[in-house]
């Protein structure tokens, strides 16, 4: 049973546009929601993370929006650049947990 | 500081053979995790070491998989005998020891792509 559902599977955005990736979860015990970015040939790297006590977190062009009642969270990439082209994974965990539960990933392509 | 390293980067073996994957975590990281991503699917947790002790191996698919972390440094993941469904990318990650209620960032290695033919 997949704990975190992610969509879309792939996304093509024009340079300067907004990229939006959505995730949903069922386990209400989750209280840590990171997003990972993976470039080809590299491992996933933490991009930004949020806890459910806030509804939004912004770091530069990257913003997480969190809706606790809907059990959904999303990543917004403003002013998308070709260098943002990568695979993005949402994940969830709970305090003190050993492991992360990942979504299936979104392959983002930003075209010039 | 050096990141998490994994060896080999690629491995192609025949069904029934044995393969051993190696992970060197970031120095000083007591937590070491193994994950696997089958093509197109999510990255799935396999197991977790704290130092040399297995803390959680609930994600290990079956007893053909054996993980070790002797001395609490590097770790190996052995698949014996390998089956076709074992193909995928195996990631290792490490993190500092967590405090109560904490989630420390997990640093991932580049992965080992295993192909079983």
């Amino acid at each position: 049973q997949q704990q975190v559902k992610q969509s879309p599977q792939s996304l093509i955005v024009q340079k300067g546009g907004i990229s939006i990736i959505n995730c949903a979860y069922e386990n209400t015990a989750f209280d840590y929601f990171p997003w990972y970015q993976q470039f080809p040939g590299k491992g996933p790297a933490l991009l930004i993370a949020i806890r459910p006590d806030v509804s939004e977190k912004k770091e530069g062009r990257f913003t997480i929006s969190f809706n606790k009642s809907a059990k959904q969270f999303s990543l917004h990439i403003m002013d998308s650049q070709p260098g943002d082209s990568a695979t993005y994974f949402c994940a969830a965990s709970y305090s003190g947990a050993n492991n992360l539960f990942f979504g299936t990933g979104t392959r983002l392509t930003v075209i010039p | 500081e050096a990141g998490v390293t994994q060896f080999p980067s690629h491995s192609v073996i025949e069904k029934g053979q044995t393969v051993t994957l190696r992970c060197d975590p970031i120095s000083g990281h007591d937590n070491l995790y193994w994950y696997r991503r089958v093509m197109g699917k999510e990255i799935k947790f396999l197991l977790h070491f704290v130092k040399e002790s297995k803390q959680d191996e609930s994600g290990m698919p079956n007893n053909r998989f054996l993980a070790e972390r002797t001395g609490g440094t590097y770790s190996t993941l052995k698949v014996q005998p390998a089956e076709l469904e074992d193909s995928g990318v195996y990631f290792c990650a490490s993190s500092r020891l967590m405090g109560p209620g904490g989630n420390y960032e997990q640093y991932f290695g580049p992965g080992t792509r295993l192909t079983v033919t």
Side-chain angles (χ1 to χ4, degrees):
Chain A
Q1 180 186 0
Q2 198 174 330
Q3 298 258 12
V4 180
K5 296 185 178 178
Q6 183 172 349
S7 64
Q9 187 175 1
S10 62
L11 181 61
I12 299 174
V13 173
Q14 290 270 4
K15 178 183 174 181
I18 302 174
S19 303
I20 301 175
I21 304 170
N22 300 299
C23 286
Y25 64 97
E26 287 297 325
N27 189 342
T28 54
F30 287 148
D31 62 359
Y32 175 66
F33 302 90
W35 283 88
Y36 279 79
Q37 179 188 55
Q38 183 187 18
F39 293 106
K42 305 288 187 181
L46 181 65
L47 183 64
I48 185 173
I50 197 169
R51 293 194 182 273
D53 51 342
V54 295
S55 60
E56 185 176 282
K57 183 174 182 180
K58 184 176 181 179
E59 290 184 2
R61 297 183 294 108
F62 300 91
T63 300
I64 300 178
S65 296
F66 185 82
N67 186 329
K68 189 174 182 179
S69 60
K71 291 185 286 186
Q72 295 175 346
F73 58 110
S74 60
L75 176 69
H76 296 235
I77 306 175
M78 311 299 289
D79 186 27
S80 298
Q81 299 296 312
D84 297 330
S85 297
T87 299
Y88 293 81
F89 294 94
C90 61
S93 184
Y94 42 88
S95 297
N98 303 322
N99 55 304
L100 295 165
F101 296 89
F102 283 91
T104 50
T106 297
R107 180 173 288 185
L108 171 65
T109 303
V110 182
I111 52 178
Chain B
E1 71 185 353
V4 177
T5 59
Q6 293 187 244
F7 182 83
S9 57
H10 294 85
S11 180
V12 181
I13 62 172
E14 292 183 353
K15 175 182 173 181
Q17 289 185 323
T18 298
V19 63
T20 300
L21 314 181
R22 174 172 169 142
C23 168
D24 287 79
I26 293 172
S27 178
H29 281 192
D30 289 328
N31 286 308
L32 187 148
Y33 309 82
W34 283 99
Y35 292 84
R36 177 176 72 177
R37 188 186 190 207
V38 173
M39 189 185 298
K41 300 287 184 70
E42 73 271 29
I43 300 172
K44 264 193 170 179
F45 168 79
L46 297 178
L47 89 159
H48 168 221
F49 285 98
V50 176
K51 298 183 181 179
E52 67 275 9
S53 300
K54 290 178 186 175
Q55 188 77 6
D56 180 357
E57 50 185 331
S58 61
M60 294 287 262
N62 50 61
N63 59 10
R64 295 185 294 102
F65 289 75
L66 175 64
E68 295 181 326
R69 192 182 182 194
T70 307
T73 54
Y74 71 92
S75 174
T76 58
L77 180 64
K78 181 189 287 188
V79 185
Q80 178 182 30
E83 298 288 346
L84 298 179
E85 64 265 25
D86 301 333
S87 295
V89 180
Y90 289 76
F91 291 105
C92 175
S94 71
S95 72
R96 291 180 291 142
L97 203 59
M98 285 184 287
N103 295 90
Y104 289 133
E105 176 179 353
Q106 293 186 24
Y107 295 82
F108 281 75
T112 293
R113 182 175 296 277
L114 175 64
T115 303
V116 183
T117 62

